[in-house]
Amino acid sequence: MLQRLSVALHRCRASSLGLVRWVSSGSVNISEQLNFWAGERRSSTQKSNVENVYEPATGRVLCQLHECGPEDVNEAVNNAKSAFNCWSKMSGLERARILIEAAHIIENRREEIAQMEVVNNGKSITEARLDVDSARLCIEYYAGLASTLSGQHVQLPGGSFAYTRREPLGVCAGIGAWNYPFQIAAWKSAPALACGNAMIFKPSPVTPVTAVLLAEIYAQAGAPQGLFNIVQGGQETGRLLCQHSDIAKVSFTGSVPTGKKIMEMASQGVKPVTLELGGKSPLLIFNDCGLENAVRGALMANFLSQGQVCSNGTRVFVHKDILPEFVEEVVKRTKLIEIGDPLLETTRMGALVNRPHLNKVLSYVNQAKKEGANVLCGGEVFVPSDPKLKDGYYMTPCVLGICTDEMTCVKEEIFGPVMSVLSFETEEEVLHRANDTNLGLAAGVFTRDVRRAHRIVEHLKAGSCFINNYNITPVEVPFGGFKMSGIGRENGQVTIEYYSQLKTVFVEMGDVDSLF
């Protein structure tokens, strides 16, 4: 998920000229604790639940994850409660100063954080830098909003009046996904902290390494001890957070099945939730499009972060009149995508996140073949020439042709570098097919006809829509889905409403008018 790409890539190229390589693939061993509360890294009291964490680029063990249990979660929550009592009493301007300082620290440590994100996740260094930029911009944006939070004055008869106060919720829980570990931690924490809340964040156990860097940065910036805490673990740790009586709200990014479970657990305490879940998004390409931009958009809609993006437009509907030309160009450019060591500047596609996920994505390609799809390119295991990368989780990006709406590859979220191309003839037909899904995270349309573009977007059942571009997510703009793709929004001014609550106060200036 990207800011304006041309500006960001220009900055990447300019800044990369004098970069210091902090790490190289296969060289990192992490022995530090990955939990954080009470202002420092902490060890878990749970000694039995230990899992290996792997480096996607090499397949080697990167570190071990010690799951947090009830005692750890309680300690983190108590620390967060203490910090909340202090933080919530600060003015918005005071909170903004600390958030701005955190953003400055992120900017100064940009390359270090980006390289650790590559080791953590497997995506290319170019994309990781953009993710760090998005995290910083998000914190800067909500720092700007922190001092603008306000209520409303309502004049009533007889000189009486009412007013509203926008107040923080308390201690919020954030549960992250493995595809954007550092960025998601910032996207959830920035609006929460700007509103005066504290937060406990649980990263994905697959990518636990970089969220703790953000916790250290907030602490270094001057945040009260315990304001942003990290607890590591899997489902059980997540359950402890969702069901904890002192957690006021849960924000989750991940799969639909897990989102349903979190919603159910949170409902036991009648807690508000924000859910950013899966997608199977359509990309509609009409015969009057600018073909060059449409091809670029389709590649951006499918192959960012090795295709591991919830908003990806993986159902690419192409008008039959331009289908052969479009497919030829997409396949040609897909074959040219540089795969390999994600820490190299020339790499454009790194490793998938782990071995089970790689096998799952490859199984979808095999299933597509059985169901009649034509593999136009890719869809195979890729072994880089560098010997240290031979056990990494790489595959060639795949384009599937002759796809139909009933195929598994078209109906189910693959979450990998697999594009399904479908043909259409009329606007009415493609709209019906595009909306024929229980998901509705994103959608896009390429056309030169402005009236058609807005007409299409009006009828697309998706929360985030793109006209003549795709997967651009500036932090000023709300992001979220319709239907089973989620509840609530991240980013934009509206997110303030999801991390605060409204209190109404009535003030009587006369005598009580009583019926008794």
Side-chain angles (χ1 to χ4, degrees), residues 28 42 58 65 71-72 86 94 96 99 102-104 111 120 142 154 174 223 240 243 246 250 376 412 426 438:
V28 178
R42 304 295 293 262
T58 64
L65 182 74
E71 184 179 332
D72 305 311
C86 168
E94 290 173 313
L99 293 174
H104 288 162
E111 189 63 19
N120 191 34
Y142 284 106
V154 180
L240 292 170
Q243 296 183 340
D246 290 321
V250 181
L376 302 175
E412 297 183 9
T426 69
N438 58 7

Side-chain angles (χ1 to χ4, degrees), residues 153-288:
H153 175 92
V154 180
Q155 191 64 47
L156 299 172
S160 297
F161 62 93
Y163 64 92
T164 59
R165 292 167 48 93
R166 188 158 291 283
E167 299 182 351
L169 298 169
V171 179
C172 301
I175 301 176
W178 49 253
N179 55 342
Y180 288 88
F182 189 82
Q183 178 181 287
I184 289 175
W187 278 21
K188 293 189 184 302
S189 61
L193 302 190
C195 289
N197 302 288
M199 175 168 273
I200 298 174
F201 186 79
K202 188 193 83 65
S204 165
V206 178
T207 52
V209 173
T210 51
V212 69
L213 300 179
L214 182 60
E216 291 177 325
I217 287 167
Y218 280 134
Q220 183 183 346
Q225 190 177 102
L227 185 67
F228 181 72
N229 298 328
I230 302 294
V231 294
Q232 301 284 355
Q235 292 183 5
E236 178 59 18
T237 307
R239 183 192 67 79
L240 292 170
L241 285 173
C242 291
Q243 296 183 340
H244 200 288
S245 59
D246 290 321
I247 294 293
K249 178 224 169 70
V250 181
S251 177
F252 168 75
T253 298
S255 70
V256 173
T258 304
K260 288 179 178 179
K261 293 177 183 177
I262 284 174
M263 191 174 185
E264 181 180 358
M265 289 186 287
S267 71
Q268 296 172 16
V270 198
K271 299 174 185 179
V273 295
T274 294
L275 302 175
E276 199 273 277
L277 307 178
K280 191 65 183 176
S281 302
L283 178 59
L284 282 54
I285 298 177
F286 284 86
N287 56 352
D288 66 342

Side-chain angles (χ1 to χ4, degrees), residues 463-515:
S464 298
C465 293
F466 304 89
I467 296 176
N468 293 330
N469 209 330
Y470 207 91
N471 267 342
I472 302 300
T473 53
V475 297
E476 305 93 329
V477 178
F479 177 79
F482 287 1
K483 299 188 279 189
M484 291 179 69
S485 286
I487 296 172
R489 291 295 181 269
E490 295 193 297
N491 293 341
Q493 189 170 351
V494 70
T495 301
I496 294 298
E497 298 179 16
Y498 296 106
Y499 283 100
S500 61
Q501 53 194 344
L502 205 61
K503 179 181 286 182
T504 300
V505 181
F506 176 86
V507 181
E508 177 60 65
M509 299 300 289
D511 295 328
V512 174
D513 190 5
S514 175
L515 295 176

Side-chain angles (χ1 to χ4, degrees), residues 299-327:
L299 296 174
M300 290 291 290
N302 281 271
F303 299 139
L304 282 175
S305 293
Q306 299 76 251
Q308 300 166 143
V309 183
C310 52
S311 58
N312 270 359
T314 55
R315 293 185 294 144
V316 181
F317 293 93
V318 184
H319 193 276
K320 65 179 182 63
D321 290 348
I322 61 168
L323 181 64
E325 185 180 3
F326 173 86
V327 168

Side-chain angles (χ1 to χ4, degrees), residues 128-139:
R129 290 183 189 123
L130 300 180
D131 293 353
V132 176
D133 289 344
S134 177
R136 172 183 57 81
L137 290 169
C138 184
I139 294 170

